[in-house]
Amino acid sequence: METLVLHKDKLKDFLKALGDVRLVAPVTVAGKTQFCEVADIDAVELDLNNYTATTKKVMFPQTETMFAFRSTPDGVKVEEGGPAPKTVVFGIRPCDARSFVTLDPLFTKDFNDPYYMKRRAATVLIGHACAEPTNRCFCPSVSGSPAGTEGLDVLLTDIDDGFHVQVVTDRGKEAISGAKSLLTKATEAHNKQKQAADKASAAKIKRSVNLKKMHEILPKAFGLPEWKETGSKCIGCGICTYNCPTCHCFDIQDEGTPYQGRRLRTWDACMFSEFTMHASGENPRHDRSERLRNRMLHKFSYYPRNLGFISCVGCGRCIELCPVNEDLIQILNTVREVCNE
Amino acid sequence: MSSFEPKIVAFLCNWCTYAGADLAGTSRYQYPPNVRVIRVMCSSRINPAFIINALLEGADGVLVSGCHPGECHYTSGNYMARRRLVLMHRMLEYLGIHPDRFRMSWVSASEGAKWAEVVTEVTEAVKVLGPNVIKREQVWMQQSL
Amino acid sequence: MDATKSLRAIAREVLGREDIACLIGYEKGSYGFRAQPCVLTEPDQADRLIFSPLCVHNLTNYLTLEQIGPLSKADIGKGKIAVVVKGCDSRAITVLCAENGIKRENLYVIGVHSPGVVDLKKIERRFPNAVEPAEVSLEGDSFTITCEGETASVPRSELVNAKCLRCKNNVPQGCDVVVEGPEHSMEDDFADIAALEAKPLEERAHMWQEQFSSCIRCYACRNSCPLCYCSECILDKLRPQFVRRSVDFPENLLFHSARAFHLAGRCIECGECERVCPQDIPLMVLNRKLARDVKELFGYEAGADPEQKALFVTFKPDDPNEGIL
């Protein structure tokens, strides 16, 4: 589709021209980068390095009310959430945008999840290509790219005078239609600059993992003693799952009193011992290494076999944030090595 | 004076302050009707999480009251409570919760008049502060990011 | 380098013994400035061990994590667990033994005089995107850093973890064997705590609201803490449910105050909770406030004396009556 150019100085005007929408972008709150609703356009930060703040909450909030209930003299009244507000996500990285593509089949396959889908339908994703991939990134290993457009509606890439704007979908085109006057057609030179930028950033990715046939190798590796060895250093916190853009498990709870309250869903993490705890007190995955193994198999074997996607976009948050250097790349490489494949 | 009437949750020990509050009633001492009394067997029953929970559930102030030091029905329960709650009081202030929102007192079974004074003092102080803002969301339906 | 060598020699000897089941130590990490914990069982694995300023973790955490740390249920009773500790880590063992969390006779404690560990966030900002495993050692007052084929020297004070700059004592206590090195000890003046206390109440309230609101409740602070080991944590309990599962400021406030208060008089200030926090919440600013108040009010210091009982199971009749009507 179209390729345009946005001058550096016009970025704020561009954001204003997006119209009356909920704008979600990286901003700094209390000294740390958060991905959240923007009240003040001046606060949007694009020159940040890769943020670790999670982006999946845009479609899949950590705490989400499913319905509220209230008992009245006429019986119990149930109130459901309204439509999702029209949202533009600005400055999301291609890996994070791609995570929604891998999540879509999960939330639509057997059952259309109305909560996720209503947000997905109301949200336009304007991405920002990665100019400085970090030492945790390995998106090419999972068929991604620092300038990938999968899942995005519009992709911005840093070039000399500002941004190269690649319109990917019709929705993207419509979303930025209000900013037409700020954009100029990209010339051949601009397109060349973008290609050079993409090439340069791809060259900066140094880590990789060979995932060929991984979905078949992992089940064979199920009984290996190596799981115990690497899993014994896991401390069983939820950092890897809660910061992962593709982890999607949730818990459903009721809150309130018997007279009024709400049913909500919140994120849950397979690394917590309560995750698989039965009412009887039995826990089928009682060891931390078993839970770690399950997370790996879920991402690289069960999910691709059931839904056709590797449940990993190579953002490397789990690697960077893990308190004990539990490294997904190292684990998968060890598995391949031990299985001689 | 504003018309704000605070809700104050009072955890009273069964043996001293609860009886003291009873005495205040039978002796017809007047005191503000803002306290909601919860009777516990001993002031050391109070888990510090109760205090924050009471505030989150909508209390504007919390009062814990038990026997005077040395007079605990269980010998040393109130000494244990004192260590915990004095520290808790300091922590709450550090976290930005006004120290008047959580008070502790010693009121014996014979101190009906003191009970009336304590309630008056605590209520007046919370009235000045206004409603507690750190509350659990009671609006159940909401959109959040 | 010498500490590593001595450590390996000790490990080889210890792992050869009949009564030792395993050894928890540090090994080279998978990339950059990371070191990782490891569990060794055989003497010939001893050469995997390292000790350097990159060994930031408090390994005593593994002694109390559910499932008895690195051992599964089947392994319990097979022998003692040997563990490598720094000065601050060793105080965790003192507290754990004093409150019967673990039995000292089931441990073999290998102490190391730590020269101070690096602050990973600072060093990774200084030397970004290192992929090849880097090496760091302390020479004099500077860290010598070998990263991606280049060597640099940076003053210790610029990269060392803040907790090491107020380290009470880097000499591990109550060890079975010690790898010796330079000793140092300092007094924490709690100046930053006092400064925060001096601010207006509203400002503090705002600061904690901002910090706690960003918490995602991954419970890494709890799980990385050697002294958070209740088999049933009030954060997980559903009946009664103290802390709701919804993640917002009021629940997070309850969570963090419960966590901090449970560590009052027990926190040995290893700083693990703050180090692991993915949202950079200044948890030690809360923990140290309580540590200072406990000292001020009750003259009590966590991990100072193996004979002292836990703070909240003891009392003095003349404890302060502060603020009590």
Side-chain angles (χ1 to χ4, degrees):
Chain A
M1 281 191 101
E2 265 182 298
T3 51
L4 304 159
V5 170
L6 174 68
H7 196 269
K8 243 185 239 154
D9 304 336
K10 290 186 180 151
L11 179 63
K12 292 211 168 113
D13 296 325
F14 175 81
L15 291 174
K16 280 179 198 139
L18 294 171
D20 187 21
V21 290
R22 192 175 68 130
L23 181 66
V24 177
V27 288
T28 300
V29 185
K32 51 207 159 207
T33 309
Q34 300 287 348
F35 210 75
C36 55
E37 197 169 338
V38 178
D40 172 18
I41 282 175
D42 289 329
V44 174
E45 299 195 34
L46 265 191
D47 50 353
L48 295 163
N49 228 336
N50 282 359
Y51 41 82
T52 49
T54 173
T55 51
K56 71 178 165 192
K57 63 180 180 181
V58 177
M59 309 290 179
F60 178 38
Q62 181 159 17
T63 307
E64 175 162 46
T65 306
M66 302 168 85
F67 59 80
F69 58 86
R70 186 162 39 99
S71 71
T72 67
D74 311 322
V76 177
K77 288 253 159 62
V78 171
E79 200 189 326
E80 284 187 68
K86 262 183 96 174
T87 302
V88 170
V89 175
F90 185 79
I92 190 169
R93 294 292 179 194
C95 53
D96 292 331
R98 200 163 158 259
S99 72
F100 300 123
V101 179
T102 72
L103 285 174
D104 285 343
L106 177 97
F107 284 113
T108 52
K109 193 188 177 196
D110 300 321
F111 174 77
N112 247 332
D113 184 282
Y115 311 100
Y116 174 87
M117 289 315 288
K118 78 178 176 193
R119 287 204 173 76
R120 190 82 169 96
T123 305
V124 172
L125 299 173
I126 301 182
H128 185 210
C130 247
E132 296 288 339
T134 65
N135 53 351
R136 64 173 208 237
C137 296
F138 60 101
C139 56
S141 302
V142 289
S143 350
S145 143
T149 54
E150 223 180 323
L152 283 171
D153 298 302
V154 177
L155 174 67
L156 268 57
T157 310
D158 293 323
I159 53 172
D160 292 348
D161 319 330
F163 302 98
H164 179 277
V165 182
Q166 184 181 357
V167 183
V168 184
T169 63
D170 289 331
R171 285 175 68 200
K173 191 174 177 182
E174 202 192 311
I176 61 166
S177 58
K180 243 180 210 158
S181 59
L182 303 167
L183 298 159
T184 52
K185 270 226 149 1
T187 63
E188 193 59 28
H190 288 131
N191 288 337
K192 274 210 175 118
Q193 275 180 29
K194 175 187 159 54
Q195 280 164 12
D198 291 355
K199 223 173 159 184
S201 65
K204 284 178 190 162
I205 295 181
K206 295 181 202 146
R207 300 203 74 190
S208 67
V209 54
N210 177 4
L211 291 174
K212 202 176 158 221
K213 286 197 177 162
M214 192 50 88
H215 62 286
E216 290 169 15
I217 298 171
L218 276 166
K220 284 187 229 161
F222 193 85
L224 292 179
E226 278 75 8
W227 289 114
K228 176 89 188 287
E229 195 179 316
T230 121
S232 60
K233 59 174 190 272
C234 171
I235 60 168
C237 71
I239 284 186
C240 49
T241 31
Y242 279 8
N243 288 289
C244 174
T246 61
C247 271
H248 48 257
C249 290
F250 56 82
D251 187 13
I252 294 179
Q253 295 249 329
D254 287 351
E255 273 180 4
T257 66
Y259 309 104
Q260 58 164 347
R262 62 169 170 168
R263 175 157 298 175
L264 68 141
R265 72 174 180 193
T266 59
W267 295 349
D268 204 351
C270 55
M271 308 307 284
F272 293 156
S273 61
E274 293 75 38
F275 186 78
T276 45
M277 182 71 88
H278 292 182
S280 66
E282 165 62 12
N283 196 343
R285 288 202 283 268
H286 69 88
D287 211 359
R288 294 190 307 282
S289 57
E290 290 166 358
R291 303 202 280 272
L292 180 80
R293 176 179 64 193
N294 178 68
R295 184 164 187 269
M296 291 299 134
L297 266 81
H298 182 116
K299 290 201 165 299
F300 296 98
S301 177
Y302 311 146
Y303 201 90
R305 281 194 291 175
N306 293 335
L307 297 162
F309 287 100
I310 289 172
S311 183
C312 172
V313 290
C315 72
R317 286 186 179 87
C318 55
I319 299 175
E320 173 169 326
L321 295 172
C322 179
V324 291
N325 191 219
E326 201 73 82
D327 189 325
L328 179 146
I329 295 176
Q330 197 182 33
I331 293 170
L332 293 176
N333 285 341
T334 310
V335 165
R336 182 178 292 277
E337 217 173 275
V338 174
C339 292
N340 281 325
E341 301 253 358
Chain B
M1 214 56 207
S2 73
S3 60
F4 166 63
E5 287 297 338
K7 281 183 196 162
I8 292 163
V9 173
F11 295 98
L12 307 187
C13 116
N14 179 55
W15 306 101
C16 290
T17 312
Y18 194 79
D22 204 23
L23 181 66
T26 51
S27 317
R28 310 208 169 186
Y29 287 117
Q30 296 285 322
Y31 62 85
N34 302 59
V35 286
R36 274 72 171 161
V37 173
I38 297 173
R39 178 165 61 157
V40 290
M41 291 310 282
C42 177
S43 50
S44 64
R45 170 69 185 91
I46 305 305
N47 181 332
F50 290 179
I51 295 158
I52 299 186
N53 238 318
L55 292 172
L56 293 187
E57 286 293 335
D60 299 302
V62 179
L63 172 65
V64 175
S65 190
C67 311
H68 285 271
E71 294 174 10
C72 179
H73 187 77
Y74 307 101
T75 316
S76 57
N78 56 357
Y79 285 128
M80 305 279 190
R82 181 168 65 181
R83 274 211 161 175
R84 284 202 291 267
L85 298 178
V86 163
L87 189 62
M88 184 70 181
H89 194 248
R90 282 198 174 192
M91 184 175 88
L92 290 182
E93 188 183 353
Y94 191 65
L95 291 174
I97 296 171
H98 197 282
D100 282 349
R101 292 220 187 266
F102 165 55
R103 298 307 300 267
M104 206 179 161
S105 66
W106 307 131
V107 175
S108 78
S110 62
E111 293 177 322
K114 185 179 178 188
W115 171 247
E117 277 167 31
V118 165
V119 173
T120 311
E121 187 179 335
V122 170
T123 309
E124 290 307 321
V126 176
K127 251 187 196 169
V128 172
L129 294 177
N132 167 27
V133 288
I134 304 169
K135 283 182 185 171
R136 286 196 163 113
E137 200 62 67
Q138 302 293 338
V139 181
W140 298 102
M141 184 49 75
Q142 53 164 359
Q143 291 282 350
S144 64
L145 178 66
Chain C
M1 240 27 231
D2 290 338
T4 299
K5 223 185 252 171
S6 335
L7 202 57
R8 285 177 182 172
I10 292 170
R12 208 167 295 119
E13 190 263 322
V14 164
L15 285 166
R17 291 194 205 170
E18 288 262 302
D19 62 332
I20 304 284
C22 64
L23 183 145
I24 311 169
Y26 304 96
E27 68 177 333
K28 202 176 74 179
S30 65
Y31 75 100
F33 292 97
R34 307 298 168 111
Q36 56 188 357
C38 64
V39 182
L40 308 180
T41 49
E42 303 301 327
D44 57 2
Q45 296 171 321
D47 285 342
R48 276 166 56 187
L49 285 181
I50 59 162
F51 191 84
S52 76
L54 295 178
C55 299
V56 292
H57 322 78
N58 183 347
L59 300 177
T60 59
N61 184 31
Y62 290 104
L63 303 172
T64 55
L65 269 181
E66 29 120 26
Q67 308 313 323
I68 321 295
L71 303 172
S72 68
K73 273 179 190 161
D75 298 326
I76 299 171
K78 279 194 181 161
K80 295 183 183 186
I81 301 175
V83 59
V84 178
V85 297
K86 306 187 285 286
C88 45
D89 309 343
S90 71
R91 291 192 279 277
I93 292 184
T94 307
V95 175
L96 283 168
C97 292
E99 60 191 28
N100 281 328
I102 42 175
K103 290 203 168 66
R104 182 63 182 80
E105 61 263 32
N106 294 340
L107 300 178
Y108 187 85
V109 182
I110 304 167
V112 187
H113 288 196
S114 159
V117 295
V118 298
D119 183 325
L120 283 176
K121 280 166 192 151
K122 281 186 195 156
I123 203 168
E124 286 179 353
R125 219 172 296 136
R126 188 78 170 252
F127 300 92
N129 296 333
V131 174
E132 288 303 314
E135 275 179 21
V136 177
S137 60
L138 186 74
E139 269 153 48
D141 266 342
S142 302
F143 285 124
T144 303
I145 296 154
T146 313
C147 164
E148 307 274 325
E150 283 175 39
T151 305
S153 179
V154 180
R156 177 179 182 270
S157 56
E158 284 177 31
L159 294 179
V160 78
N161 193 315
K163 72 171 180 182
C164 300
L165 291 174
R166 47 173 188 257
C167 176
K168 277 178 210 154
N169 193 350
N170 79 327
V171 179
Q173 57 193 35
C175 300
D176 292 294
V177 54
V178 178
V179 178
E180 297 203 359
E183 293 179 12
H184 57 80
S185 63
M186 268 152 274
E187 272 303 313
D188 188 351
D189 60 1
F190 297 103
D192 52 334
I193 309 288
L196 185 55
E197 281 175 334
K199 285 186 179 164
L201 191 81
E202 294 73 31
E203 210 172 301
R204 274 201 309 273
H206 179 73
M207 170 203 151
W208 289 113
Q209 170 147 19
E210 246 183 10
Q211 294 293 350
F212 291 159
S213 298
S214 71
C215 171
I216 56 169
R217 295 260 288 276
C218 63
Y219 297 144
C221 46
R222 177 189 69 177
N223 287 25
S224 64
C225 177
L227 295 160
C228 263
Y229 62 99
C230 296
S231 56
E232 204 173 2
C233 175
I234 73 160
L235 304 172
D236 297 328
K237 262 180 107 83
L238 291 173
R239 277 181 195 189
Q241 188 175 33
F242 277 88
V243 186
R244 287 180 184 167
R245 290 290 201 269
S246 45
V247 177
D248 51 21
F249 169 64
E251 301 310 318
N252 293 352
L253 172 75
L254 181 49
F255 157 48
H256 282 288
S257 41
R259 190 199 65 79
F261 202 79
H262 201 165
L263 288 164
R266 301 172 64 236
C267 173
I268 44 87
E269 299 172 43
C270 66
E272 280 290 85
C273 49
E274 189 172 282
R275 175 183 73 84
V276 302
C277 180
Q279 299 289 69
D280 296 339
I281 299 172
L283 294 167
M284 286 308 289
V285 173
L286 185 51
N287 291 344
R288 283 173 52 241
K289 149 82 177 169
L290 290 171
R292 195 209 57 186
D293 281 358
V294 163
K295 203 171 167 187
E296 202 174 285
L297 289 166
F298 314 116
Y300 187 98
E301 209 173 324
D305 173 11
E307 299 302 318
Q308 78 185 355
K309 284 191 166 171
L311 175 72
F312 287 139
V313 301
T314 51
F315 65 88
K316 286 185 204 137
D318 55 352
D319 278 341
N321 258 323
E322 193 182 272
I324 300 179
L325 295 169

